[in-house]
PDB file of all heavy atoms in Angstrom:
ATOM      1  N   SER A 285     -25.106-111.553  58.095  1.00 94.00           N
ATOM      2  CA  SER A 285     -25.717-112.292  59.203  1.00 94.00           C
ATOM      3  C   SER A 285     -26.473-111.366  60.155  1.00 94.00           C
ATOM      4  O   SER A 285     -26.898-111.792  61.229  1.00 94.00           O
ATOM      5  CB  SER A 285     -24.665-113.119  59.950  1.00 94.00           C
ATOM      6  OG  SER A 285     -23.723-112.272  60.577  1.00 94.00           O
ATOM      7  N   GLY A 286     -26.637-110.097  59.754  1.00 94.00           N
ATOM      8  CA  GLY A 286     -27.476-109.180  60.512  1.00 94.00           C
ATOM      9  C   GLY A 286     -26.776-108.429  61.626  1.00 94.00           C
ATOM     10  O   GLY A 286     -27.440-107.811  62.460  1.00 94.00           O
ATOM     11  N   ARG A 287     -25.467-108.455  61.650  1.00 96.00           N
ATOM     12  CA  ARG A 287     -24.727-107.768  62.718  1.00 96.00           C
ATOM     13  C   ARG A 287     -24.708-106.261  62.502  1.00 96.00           C
ATOM     14  O   ARG A 287     -24.675-105.792  61.372  1.00 96.00           O
ATOM     15  CB  ARG A 287     -23.279-108.267  62.778  1.00 96.00           C
ATOM     16  CG  ARG A 287     -23.116-109.744  62.958  1.00 96.00           C
ATOM     17  CD  ARG A 287     -23.529-110.189  64.335  1.00 96.00           C
ATOM     18  NE  ARG A 287     -23.235-111.608  64.482  1.00 96.00           N
ATOM     19  CZ  ARG A 287     -22.835-112.151  65.611  1.00 96.00           C
ATOM     20  NH1 ARG A 287     -22.692-111.435  66.686  1.00 96.00           N
ATOM     21  NH2 ARG A 287     -22.612-113.446  65.656  1.00 96.00           N
ATOM     22  N   THR A 288     -24.715-105.516  63.588  1.00 96.00           N
ATOM     23  CA  THR A 288     -24.591-104.060  63.523  1.00 96.00           C
ATOM     24  C   THR A 288     -23.116-103.696  63.375  1.00 96.00           C
ATOM     25  O   THR A 288     -22.226-104.528  63.603  1.00 96.00           O
ATOM     26  CB  THR A 288     -25.118-103.412  64.814  1.00 96.00           C
ATOM     27  OG1 THR A 288     -24.287-103.813  65.911  1.00 96.00           O
ATOM     28  CG2 THR A 288     -26.573-103.786  65.078  1.00 96.00           C
ATOM     29  N   ASN A 289     -22.850-102.430  63.026  1.00 97.00           N
ATOM     30  CA  ASN A 289     -21.460-101.982  62.943  1.00 97.00           C
ATOM     31  C   ASN A 289     -20.745-102.178  64.272  1.00 97.00           C
ATOM     32  O   ASN A 289     -19.585-102.587  64.306  1.00 97.00           O
ATOM     33  CB  ASN A 289     -21.387-100.512  62.522  1.00 97.00           C
ATOM     34  CG  ASN A 289     -21.660-100.307  61.045  1.00 97.00           C
ATOM     35  OD1 ASN A 289     -21.806-101.263  60.293  1.00 97.00           O
ATOM     36  ND2 ASN A 289     -21.741 -99.067  60.647  1.00 97.00           N
ATOM     37  N   LYS A 290     -21.439-101.903  65.371  1.00 98.00           N
ATOM     38  CA  LYS A 290     -20.828-102.068  66.697  1.00 98.00           C
ATOM     39  C   LYS A 290     -20.451-103.530  66.936  1.00 98.00           C
ATOM     40  O   LYS A 290     -19.350-103.829  67.404  1.00 98.00           O
ATOM     41  CB  LYS A 290     -21.778-101.575  67.786  1.00 98.00           C
ATOM     42  CG  LYS A 290     -21.187-101.622  69.168  1.00 98.00           C
ATOM     43  CD  LYS A 290     -22.110-100.999  70.191  1.00 98.00           C
ATOM     44  CE  LYS A 290     -21.441-100.981  71.551  1.00 98.00           C
ATOM     45  NZ  LYS A 290     -22.241-100.249  72.533  1.00 98.00           N
ATOM     46  N   GLU A 291     -21.350-104.441  66.596  1.00 98.00           N
ATOM     47  CA  GLU A 291     -21.060-105.874  66.764  1.00 98.00           C
ATOM     48  C   GLU A 291     -19.915-106.310  65.854  1.00 98.00           C
ATOM     49  O   GLU A 291     -19.037-107.073  66.280  1.00 98.00           O
ATOM     50  CB  GLU A 291     -22.312-106.702  66.469  1.00 98.00           C
ATOM     51  CG  GLU A 291     -23.405-106.543  67.499  1.00 98.00           C
ATOM     52  CD  GLU A 291     -24.718-107.174  67.079  1.00 98.00           C
ATOM     53  OE1 GLU A 291     -25.040-107.196  65.869  1.00 98.00           O
ATOM     54  OE2 GLU A 291     -25.444-107.635  67.982  1.00 98.00           O
ATOM     55  N   ILE A 292     -19.926-105.840  64.605  1.00 98.00           N
ATOM     56  CA  ILE A 292     -18.852-106.184  63.673  1.00 98.00           C
ATOM     57  C   ILE A 292     -17.523-105.702  64.225  1.00 98.00           C
ATOM     58  O   ILE A 292     -16.524-106.422  64.210  1.00 98.00           O
ATOM     59  CB  ILE A 292     -19.132-105.590  62.275  1.00 98.00           C
ATOM     60  CG1 ILE A 292     -20.353-106.276  61.643  1.00 98.00           C
ATOM     61  CG2 ILE A 292     -17.905-105.727  61.367  1.00 98.00           C
ATOM     62  CD1 ILE A 292     -20.883-105.583  60.387  1.00 98.00           C
ATOM     63  N   SER A 293     -17.512-104.473  64.750  1.00 98.00           N
ATOM     64  CA  SER A 293     -16.296-103.904  65.333  1.00 98.00           C
ATOM     65  C   SER A 293     -15.761-104.771  66.465  1.00 98.00           C
ATOM     66  O   SER A 293     -14.564-105.040  66.546  1.00 98.00           O
ATOM     67  CB  SER A 293     -16.571-102.496  65.876  1.00 98.00           C
ATOM     68  OG  SER A 293     -16.975-101.644  64.845  1.00 98.00           O
ATOM     69  N   GLN A 294     -16.652-105.198  67.333  1.00 98.00           N
ATOM     70  CA  GLN A 294     -16.242-106.022  68.470  1.00 98.00           C
ATOM     71  C   GLN A 294     -15.722-107.383  68.016  1.00 98.00           C
ATOM     72  O   GLN A 294     -14.691-107.847  68.488  1.00 98.00           O
ATOM     73  CB  GLN A 294     -17.411-106.189  69.448  1.00 98.00           C
ATOM     74  CG  GLN A 294     -17.774-104.897  70.144  1.00 98.00           C
ATOM     75  CD  GLN A 294     -19.078-104.984  70.921  1.00 98.00           C
ATOM     76  OE1 GLN A 294     -19.889-105.891  70.734  1.00 98.00           O
ATOM     77  NE2 GLN A 294     -19.286-104.018  71.805  1.00 98.00           N
ATOM     78  N   ILE A 295     -16.409-108.008  67.088  1.00 97.00           N
ATOM     79  CA  ILE A 295     -16.010-109.341  66.628  1.00 97.00           C
ATOM     80  C   ILE A 295     -14.658-109.298  65.925  1.00 97.00           C
ATOM     81  O   ILE A 295     -13.796-110.157  66.152  1.00 97.00           O
ATOM     82  CB  ILE A 295     -17.089-109.942  65.700  1.00 97.00           C
ATOM     83  CG1 ILE A 295     -18.353-110.251  66.513  1.00 97.00           C
ATOM     84  CG2 ILE A 295     -16.576-111.194  64.994  1.00 97.00           C
ATOM     85  CD1 ILE A 295     -19.576-110.534  65.673  1.00 97.00           C
ATOM     86  N   LEU A 296     -14.460-108.292  65.070  1.00 97.00           N
ATOM     87  CA  LEU A 296     -13.225-108.208  64.287  1.00 97.00           C
ATOM     88  C   LEU A 296     -12.144-107.372  64.973  1.00 97.00           C
ATOM     89  O   LEU A 296     -11.060-107.201  64.417  1.00 97.00           O
ATOM     90  CB  LEU A 296     -13.519-107.639  62.892  1.00 97.00           C
ATOM     91  CG  LEU A 296     -14.448-108.471  62.014  1.00 97.00           C
ATOM     92  CD1 LEU A 296     -14.666-107.791  60.675  1.00 97.00           C
ATOM     93  CD2 LEU A 296     -13.900-109.883  61.820  1.00 97.00           C
ATOM     94  N   GLN A 297     -12.465-106.875  66.160  1.00 97.00           N
ATOM     95  CA  GLN A 297     -11.532-106.049  66.934  1.00 97.00           C
ATOM     96  C   GLN A 297     -11.054-104.834  66.134  1.00 97.00           C
ATOM     97  O   GLN A 297      -9.856-104.574  65.985  1.00 97.00           O
ATOM     98  CB  GLN A 297     -10.355-106.874  67.448  1.00 97.00           C
ATOM     99  CG  GLN A 297     -10.819-107.977  68.370  1.00 97.00           C
ATOM    100  CD  GLN A 297      -9.687-108.829  68.916  1.00 97.00           C
ATOM    101  OE1 GLN A 297      -8.601-108.868  68.358  1.00 97.00           O
ATOM    102  NE2 GLN A 297      -9.946-109.498  70.019  1.00 97.00           N
ATOM    103  N   LEU A 298     -12.043-104.105  65.598  1.00 97.00           N
ATOM    104  CA  LEU A 298     -11.803-102.884  64.836  1.00 97.00           C
ATOM    105  C   LEU A 298     -12.507-101.735  65.544  1.00 97.00           C
ATOM    106  O   LEU A 298     -13.453-101.953  66.303  1.00 97.00           O
ATOM    107  CB  LEU A 298     -12.400-102.996  63.427  1.00 97.00           C
ATOM    108  CG  LEU A 298     -11.937-104.123  62.532  1.00 97.00           C
ATOM    109  CD1 LEU A 298     -12.801-104.195  61.284  1.00 97.00           C
ATOM    110  CD2 LEU A 298     -10.484-103.914  62.157  1.00 97.00           C
ATOM    111  N   SER A 299     -12.086-100.507  65.246  1.00 98.00           N
ATOM    112  CA  SER A 299     -12.846 -99.362  65.736  1.00 98.00           C
ATOM    113  C   SER A 299     -14.141 -99.292  64.926  1.00 98.00           C
ATOM    114  O   SER A 299     -14.219 -99.809  63.804  1.00 98.00           O
ATOM    115  CB  SER A 299     -12.055 -98.064  65.571  1.00 98.00           C
ATOM    116  OG  SER A 299     -11.977 -97.706  64.200  1.00 98.00           O
ATOM    117  N   GLU A 300     -15.149 -98.645  65.507  1.00 97.00           N
ATOM    118  CA  GLU A 300     -16.398 -98.503  64.761  1.00 97.00           C
ATOM    119  C   GLU A 300     -16.182 -97.673  63.506  1.00 97.00           C
ATOM    120  O   GLU A 300     -16.809 -97.919  62.476  1.00 97.00           O
ATOM    121  CB  GLU A 300     -17.490 -97.893  65.639  1.00 97.00           C
ATOM    122  CG  GLU A 300     -18.070 -98.904  66.617  1.00 97.00           C
ATOM    123  CD  GLU A 300     -19.316 -98.401  67.319  1.00 97.00           C
ATOM    124  OE1 GLU A 300     -20.310 -98.106  66.627  1.00 97.00           O
ATOM    125  OE2 GLU A 300     -19.283 -98.311  68.553  1.00 97.00           O
ATOM    126  N   GLU A 301     -15.291 -96.682  63.573  1.00 98.00           N
ATOM    127  CA  GLU A 301     -15.001 -95.858  62.394  1.00 98.00           C
ATOM    128  C   GLU A 301     -14.398 -96.702  61.269  1.00 98.00           C
ATOM    129  O   GLU A 301     -14.766 -96.560  60.099  1.00 98.00           O
ATOM    130  CB  GLU A 301     -14.056 -94.717  62.767  1.00 98.00           C
ATOM    131  CG  GLU A 301     -13.888 -93.694  61.675  1.00 98.00           C
ATOM    132  CD  GLU A 301     -15.176 -92.970  61.294  1.00 98.00           C
ATOM    133  OE1 GLU A 301     -16.042 -92.759  62.165  1.00 98.00           O
ATOM    134  OE2 GLU A 301     -15.323 -92.628  60.112  1.00 98.00           O
ATOM    135  N   THR A 302     -13.490 -97.593  61.614  1.00 98.00           N
ATOM    136  CA  THR A 302     -12.893 -98.476  60.603  1.00 98.00           C
ATOM    137  C   THR A 302     -13.954 -99.386  60.008  1.00 98.00           C
ATOM    138  O   THR A 302     -13.995 -99.601  58.792  1.00 98.00           O
ATOM    139  CB  THR A 302     -11.740 -99.291  61.216  1.00 98.00           C
ATOM    140  OG1 THR A 302     -10.732 -98.378  61.651  1.00 98.00           O
ATOM    141  CG2 THR A 302     -11.150-100.270  60.211  1.00 98.00           C
ATOM    142  N   THR A 303     -14.830 -99.901  60.847  1.00 98.00           N
ATOM    143  CA  THR A 303     -15.917-100.746  60.354  1.00 98.00           C
ATOM    144  C   THR A 303     -16.797 -99.962  59.394  1.00 98.00           C
ATOM    145  O   THR A 303     -17.147-100.454  58.319  1.00 98.00           O
ATOM    146  CB  THR A 303     -16.750-101.294  61.529  1.00 98.00           C
ATOM    147  OG1 THR A 303     -15.901-102.118  62.337  1.00 98.00           O
ATOM    148  CG2 THR A 303     -17.935-102.114  61.045  1.00 98.00           C
ATOM    149  N   LYS A 304     -17.145 -98.727  59.758  1.00 97.00           N
ATOM    150  CA  LYS A 304     -17.962 -97.884  58.881  1.00 97.00           C
ATOM    151  C   LYS A 304     -17.257 -97.675  57.540  1.00 97.00           C
ATOM    152  O   LYS A 304     -17.899 -97.682  56.484  1.00 97.00           O
ATOM    153  CB  LYS A 304     -18.251 -96.539  59.537  1.00 97.00           C
ATOM    154  CG  LYS A 304     -19.241 -96.616  60.674  1.00 97.00           C
ATOM    155  CD  LYS A 304     -19.433 -95.250  61.317  1.00 97.00           C
ATOM    156  CE  LYS A 304     -20.269 -95.356  62.565  1.00 97.00           C
ATOM    157  NZ  LYS A 304     -20.387 -94.058  63.252  1.00 97.00           N
ATOM    158  N   ASN A 305     -15.945 -97.484  57.587  1.00 97.00           N
ATOM    159  CA  ASN A 305     -15.188 -97.302  56.343  1.00 97.00           C
ATOM    160  C   ASN A 305     -15.258 -98.545  55.465  1.00 97.00           C
ATOM    161  O   ASN A 305     -15.394 -98.452  54.240  1.00 97.00           O
ATOM    162  CB  ASN A 305     -13.734 -96.944  56.640  1.00 97.00           C
ATOM    163  CG  ASN A 305     -13.573 -95.548  57.184  1.00 97.00           C
ATOM    164  OD1 ASN A 305     -14.424 -94.684  56.989  1.00 97.00           O
ATOM    165  ND2 ASN A 305     -12.486 -95.313  57.903  1.00 97.00           N
ATOM    166  N   HIS A 306     -15.161 -99.721  56.085  1.00 97.00           N
ATOM    167  CA  HIS A 306     -15.259-100.968  55.314  1.00 97.00           C
ATOM    168  C   HIS A 306     -16.659-101.129  54.720  1.00 97.00           C
ATOM    169  O   HIS A 306     -16.801-101.530  53.559  1.00 97.00           O
ATOM    170  CB  HIS A 306     -14.907-102.176  56.178  1.00 97.00           C
ATOM    171  CG  HIS A 306     -13.453-102.330  56.456  1.00 97.00           C
ATOM    172  ND1 HIS A 306     -12.491-102.346  55.468  1.00 97.00           N
ATOM    173  CD2 HIS A 306     -12.785-102.472  57.627  1.00 97.00           C
ATOM    174  CE1 HIS A 306     -11.294-102.492  56.009  1.00 97.00           C
ATOM    175  NE2 HIS A 306     -11.456-102.560  57.323  1.00 97.00           N
ATOM    176  N   VAL A 307     -17.693-100.822  55.506  1.00 98.00           N
ATOM    177  CA  VAL A 307     -19.068-100.921  54.993  1.00 98.00           C
ATOM    178  C   VAL A 307     -19.245 -99.951  53.830  1.00 98.00           C
ATOM    179  O   VAL A 307     -19.807-100.318  52.789  1.00 98.00           O
ATOM    180  CB  VAL A 307     -20.098-100.662  56.115  1.00 98.00           C
ATOM    181  CG1 VAL A 307     -21.514-100.549  55.528  1.00 98.00           C
ATOM    182  CG2 VAL A 307     -20.049-101.776  57.154  1.00 98.00           C
ATOM    183  N   SER A 308     -18.728 -98.732  53.966  1.00 97.00           N
ATOM    184  CA  SER A 308     -18.823 -97.754  52.876  1.00 97.00           C
ATOM    185  C   SER A 308     -18.113 -98.258  51.623  1.00 97.00           C
ATOM    186  O   SER A 308     -18.606 -98.071  50.502  1.00 97.00           O
ATOM    187  CB  SER A 308     -18.225 -96.416  53.304  1.00 97.00           C
ATOM    188  OG  SER A 308     -19.007 -95.827  54.311  1.00 97.00           O
ATOM    189  N   GLY A 309     -16.966 -98.896  51.804  1.00 97.00           N
ATOM    190  CA  GLY A 309     -16.237 -99.456  50.674  1.00 97.00           C
ATOM    191  C   GLY A 309     -17.021-100.552  49.977  1.00 97.00           C
ATOM    192  O   GLY A 309     -17.022-100.644  48.742  1.00 97.00           O
ATOM    193  N   ILE A 310     -17.700-101.367  50.758  1.00 97.00           N
ATOM    194  CA  ILE A 310     -18.546-102.429  50.191  1.00 97.00           C
ATOM    195  C   ILE A 310     -19.682-101.797  49.381  1.00 97.00           C
ATOM    196  O   ILE A 310     -19.966-102.220  48.258  1.00 97.00           O
ATOM    197  CB  ILE A 310     -19.091-103.342  51.303  1.00 97.00           C
ATOM    198  CG1 ILE A 310     -17.955-104.141  51.937  1.00 97.00           C
ATOM    199  CG2 ILE A 310     -20.188-104.273  50.772  1.00 97.00           C
ATOM    200  CD1 ILE A 310     -18.317-104.797  53.271  1.00 97.00           C
ATOM    201  N   LEU A 311     -20.334-100.785  49.958  1.00 97.00           N
ATOM    202  CA  LEU A 311     -21.435-100.124  49.256  1.00 97.00           C
ATOM    203  C   LEU A 311     -20.958 -99.514  47.947  1.00 97.00           C
ATOM    204  O   LEU A 311     -21.627 -99.647  46.910  1.00 97.00           O
ATOM    205  CB  LEU A 311     -22.065 -99.039  50.141  1.00 97.00           C
ATOM    206  CG  LEU A 311     -22.721 -99.489  51.444  1.00 97.00           C
ATOM    207  CD1 LEU A 311     -23.304 -98.285  52.182  1.00 97.00           C
ATOM    208  CD2 LEU A 311     -23.774-100.546  51.237  1.00 97.00           C
ATOM    209  N   ARG A 312     -19.798 -98.857  47.977  1.00 96.00           N
ATOM    210  CA  ARG A 312     -19.237 -98.277  46.740  1.00 96.00           C
ATOM    211  C   ARG A 312     -18.942 -99.360  45.717  1.00 96.00           C
ATOM    212  O   ARG A 312     -19.270 -99.232  44.535  1.00 96.00           O
ATOM    213  CB  ARG A 312     -17.949 -97.504  47.050  1.00 96.00           C
ATOM    214  CG  ARG A 312     -18.151 -96.071  47.420  1.00 96.00           C
ATOM    215  CD  ARG A 312     -16.847 -95.288  47.422  1.00 96.00           C
ATOM    216  NE  ARG A 312     -15.768 -95.928  48.165  1.00 96.00           N
ATOM    217  CZ  ARG A 312     -15.605 -95.850  49.482  1.00 96.00           C
ATOM    218  NH1 ARG A 312     -16.447 -95.150  50.215  1.00 96.00           N
ATOM    219  NH2 ARG A 312     -14.606 -96.452  50.071  1.00 96.00           N
ATOM    220  N   ASN A 313     -18.295-100.429  46.175  1.00 95.00           N
ATOM    221  CA  ASN A 313     -17.939-101.523  45.270  1.00 95.00           C
ATOM    222  C   ASN A 313     -19.182-102.129  44.623  1.00 95.00           C
ATOM    223  O   ASN A 313     -19.176-102.454  43.440  1.00 95.00           O
ATOM    224  CB  ASN A 313     -17.151-102.590  46.038  1.00 95.00           C
ATOM    225  CG  ASN A 313     -16.653-103.699  45.151  1.00 95.00           C
ATOM    226  OD1 ASN A 313     -17.434-104.532  44.698  1.00 95.00           O
ATOM    227  ND2 ASN A 313     -15.362-103.731  44.902  1.00 95.00           N
ATOM    228  N   PHE A 314     -20.224-102.272  45.403  1.00 95.00           N
ATOM    229  CA  PHE A 314     -21.469-102.865  44.909  1.00 95.00           C
ATOM    230  C   PHE A 314     -22.342-101.848  44.172  1.00 95.00           C
ATOM    231  O   PHE A 314     -23.374-102.194  43.620  1.00 95.00           O
ATOM    232  CB  PHE A 314     -22.261-103.471  46.066  1.00 95.00           C
ATOM    233  CG  PHE A 314     -21.728-104.786  46.587  1.00 95.00           C
ATOM    234  CD1 PHE A 314     -20.556-105.346  46.107  1.00 95.00           C
ATOM    235  CD2 PHE A 314     -22.415-105.458  47.575  1.00 95.00           C
ATOM    236  CE1 PHE A 314     -20.089-106.553  46.594  1.00 95.00           C
ATOM    237  CE2 PHE A 314     -21.957-106.680  48.066  1.00 95.00           C
ATOM    238  CZ  PHE A 314     -20.788-107.225  47.579  1.00 95.00           C
ATOM    239  N   ARG A 315     -21.932-100.569  44.225  1.00 95.00           N
ATOM    240  CA  ARG A 315     -22.686 -99.486  43.586  1.00 95.00           C
ATOM    241  C   ARG A 315     -24.115 -99.414  44.107  1.00 95.00           C
ATOM    242  O   ARG A 315     -25.086 -99.333  43.334  1.00 95.00           O
ATOM    243  CB  ARG A 315     -22.658 -99.626  42.066  1.00 95.00           C
ATOM    244  CG  ARG A 315     -21.253 -99.531  41.511  1.00 95.00           C
ATOM    245  CD  ARG A 315     -21.224 -99.657  40.022  1.00 95.00           C
ATOM    246  NE  ARG A 315     -19.833 -99.576  39.561  1.00 95.00           N
ATOM    247  CZ  ARG A 315     -19.418-100.020  38.412  1.00 95.00           C
ATOM    248  NH1 ARG A 315     -20.245-100.586  37.571  1.00 95.00           N
ATOM    249  NH2 ARG A 315     -18.143 -99.905  38.068  1.00 95.00           N
ATOM    250  N   VAL A 316     -24.236 -99.452  45.432  1.00 96.00           N
ATOM    251  CA  VAL A 316     -25.529 -99.334  46.107  1.00 96.00           C
ATOM    252  C   VAL A 316     -25.399 -98.287  47.212  1.00 96.00           C
ATOM    253  O   VAL A 316     -24.294 -97.857  47.541  1.00 96.00           O
ATOM    254  CB  VAL A 316     -26.003-100.688  46.687  1.00 96.00           C
ATOM    255  CG1 VAL A 316     -26.203-101.719  45.586  1.00 96.00           C
ATOM    256  CG2 VAL A 316     -25.038-101.213  47.745  1.00 96.00           C
ATOM    257  N   GLN A 317     -26.548 -97.917  47.794  1.00 97.00           N
ATOM    258  CA  GLN A 317     -26.549 -96.865  48.805  1.00 97.00           C
ATOM    259  C   GLN A 317     -26.899 -97.343  50.204  1.00 97.00           C
ATOM    260  O   GLN A 317     -26.614 -96.637  51.178  1.00 97.00           O
ATOM    261  CB  GLN A 317     -27.514 -95.754  48.392  1.00 97.00           C
ATOM    262  CG  GLN A 317     -27.061 -95.046  47.128  1.00 97.00           C
ATOM    263  CD  GLN A 317     -28.004 -93.938  46.721  1.00 97.00           C
ATOM    264  OE1 GLN A 317     -29.129 -93.860  47.192  1.00 97.00           O
ATOM    265  NE2 GLN A 317     -27.539 -93.076  45.840  1.00 97.00           N
ATOM    266  N   THR A 318     -27.510 -98.503  50.339  1.00 96.00           N
ATOM    267  CA  THR A 318     -27.933 -98.961  51.662  1.00 96.00           C
ATOM    268  C   THR A 318     -27.430-100.378  51.944  1.00 96.00           C
ATOM    269  O   THR A 318     -27.088-101.128  51.025  1.00 96.00           O
ATOM    270  CB  THR A 318     -29.477 -98.973  51.781  1.00 96.00           C
ATOM    271  OG1 THR A 318     -30.001 -99.996  50.913  1.00 96.00           O
ATOM    272  CG2 THR A 318     -30.071 -97.619  51.437  1.00 96.00           C
ATOM    273  N   ARG A 319     -27.432-100.718  53.223  1.00 95.00           N
ATOM    274  CA  ARG A 319     -27.045-102.070  53.636  1.00 95.00           C
ATOM    275  C   ARG A 319     -27.984-103.109  53.026  1.00 95.00           C
ATOM    276  O   ARG A 319     -27.545-104.177  52.610  1.00 95.00           O
ATOM    277  CB  ARG A 319     -27.048-102.177  55.168  1.00 95.00           C
ATOM    278  CG  ARG A 319     -25.964-101.359  55.827  1.00 95.00           C
ATOM    279  CD  ARG A 319     -26.218-101.208  57.314  1.00 95.00           C
ATOM    280  NE  ARG A 319     -25.929-102.399  58.072  1.00 95.00           N
ATOM    281  CZ  ARG A 319     -24.852-102.582  58.818  1.00 95.00           C
ATOM    282  NH1 ARG A 319     -23.957-101.626  58.920  1.00 95.00           N
ATOM    283  NH2 ARG A 319     -24.671-103.697  59.482  1.00 95.00           N
ATOM    284  N   SER A 320     -29.275-102.782  52.994  1.00 94.00           N
ATOM    285  CA  SER A 320     -30.251-103.723  52.420  1.00 94.00           C
ATOM    286  C   SER A 320     -29.947-104.000  50.951  1.00 94.00           C
ATOM    287  O   SER A 320     -29.993-105.149  50.506  1.00 94.00           O
ATOM    288  CB  SER A 320     -31.672-103.171  52.559  1.00 94.00           C
ATOM    289  OG  SER A 320     -32.020-103.062  53.919  1.00 94.00           O
ATOM    290  N   GLN A 321     -29.631-102.943  50.221  1.00 96.00           N
ATOM    291  CA  GLN A 321     -29.280-103.122  48.813  1.00 96.00           C
ATOM    292  C   GLN A 321     -27.989-103.933  48.686  1.00 96.00           C
ATOM    293  O   GLN A 321     -27.851-104.746  47.763  1.00 96.00           O
ATOM    294  CB  GLN A 321     -29.105-101.759  48.133  1.00 96.00           C
ATOM    295  CG  GLN A 321     -30.395-100.995  47.970  1.00 96.00           C
ATOM    296  CD  GLN A 321     -30.163 -99.562  47.504  1.00 96.00           C
ATOM    297  OE1 GLN A 321     -29.114 -98.972  47.749  1.00 96.00           O
ATOM    298  NE2 GLN A 321     -31.153 -98.999  46.831  1.00 96.00           N
ATOM    299  N   ALA A 322     -27.057-103.718  49.610  1.00 95.00           N
ATOM    300  CA  ALA A 322     -25.791-104.470  49.582  1.00 95.00           C
ATOM    301  C   ALA A 322     -26.044-105.957  49.803  1.00 95.00           C
ATOM    302  O   ALA A 322     -25.408-106.802  49.170  1.00 95.00           O
ATOM    303  CB  ALA A 322     -24.823-103.931  50.631  1.00 95.00           C
ATOM    304  N   ILE A 323     -26.973-106.277  50.687  1.00 93.00           N
ATOM    305  CA  ILE A 323     -27.299-107.675  50.954  1.00 93.00           C
ATOM    306  C   ILE A 323     -27.869-108.330  49.696  1.00 93.00           C
ATOM    307  O   ILE A 323     -27.494-109.446  49.334  1.00 93.00           O
ATOM    308  CB  ILE A 323     -28.273-107.776  52.152  1.00 93.00           C
ATOM    309  CG1 ILE A 323     -27.522-107.411  53.442  1.00 93.00           C
ATOM    310  CG2 ILE A 323     -28.907-109.162  52.238  1.00 93.00           C
ATOM    311  CD1 ILE A 323     -28.408-107.166  54.633  1.00 93.00           C
ATOM    312  N   ILE A 324     -28.747-107.607  49.011  1.00 94.00           N
ATOM    313  CA  ILE A 324     -29.321-108.127  47.762  1.00 94.00           C
ATOM    314  C   ILE A 324     -28.226-108.314  46.724  1.00 94.00           C
ATOM    315  O   ILE A 324     -28.131-109.360  46.065  1.00 94.00           O
ATOM    316  CB  ILE A 324     -30.429-107.188  47.244  1.00 94.00           C
ATOM    317  CG1 ILE A 324     -31.622-107.225  48.206  1.00 94.00           C
ATOM    318  CG2 ILE A 324     -30.849-107.568  45.825  1.00 94.00           C
ATOM    319  CD1 ILE A 324     -32.626-106.113  47.985  1.00 94.00           C
ATOM    320  N   GLU A 325     -27.371-107.306  46.581  1.00 94.00           N
ATOM    321  CA  GLU A 325     -26.290-107.381  45.594  1.00 94.00           C
ATOM    322  C   GLU A 325     -25.303-108.497  45.938  1.00 94.00           C
ATOM    323  O   GLU A 325     -24.800-109.186  45.052  1.00 94.00           O
ATOM    324  CB  GLU A 325     -25.573-106.032  45.491  1.00 94.00           C
ATOM    325  CG  GLU A 325     -24.503-105.976  44.431  1.00 94.00           C
ATOM    326  CD  GLU A 325     -24.995-106.203  43.012  1.00 94.00           C
ATOM    327  OE1 GLU A 325     -26.186-106.014  42.713  1.00 94.00           O
ATOM    328  OE2 GLU A 325     -24.153-106.585  42.164  1.00 94.00           O
ATOM    329  N   ALA A 326     -25.036-108.684  47.218  1.00 93.00           N
ATOM    330  CA  ALA A 326     -24.133-109.764  47.632  1.00 93.00           C
ATOM    331  C   ALA A 326     -24.683-111.108  47.180  1.00 93.00           C
ATOM    332  O   ALA A 326     -23.934-111.967  46.693  1.00 93.00           O
ATOM    333  CB  ALA A 326     -23.942-109.740  49.146  1.00 93.00           C
TER     334      ALA A 326
END
């Protein structure tokens, strides 16, 4: 939905570092390198 890591952190009540870790996990799972590629793969 276009949210930044900071916004995701605030909405889910996570630290920004934890959010970054989740985004990295998604990228690894999807075997992509960027958020844009992750959106396409999703």
Side-chain angles (χ1 to χ4, degrees):
S285 65
R287 304 290 185 145
T288 65
N289 284 354
K290 184 174 184 173
E291 291 170 327
I292 293 169
S293 299
Q294 292 170 344
I295 292 166
L296 297 179
Q297 299 180 340
L298 302 171
S299 71
E300 283 190 61
E301 190 62 32
T302 298
T303 297
K304 288 178 188 176
N305 289 338
H306 285 307
V307 171
S308 293
I310 292 165
L311 297 181
R312 272 192 311 277
N313 185 287
F314 284 4
R315 298 180 181 159
V316 298
Q317 295 180 344
T318 68
R319 292 165 75 103
S320 296
Q321 291 171 333
I323 289 167
I324 293 166
E325 184 62 22

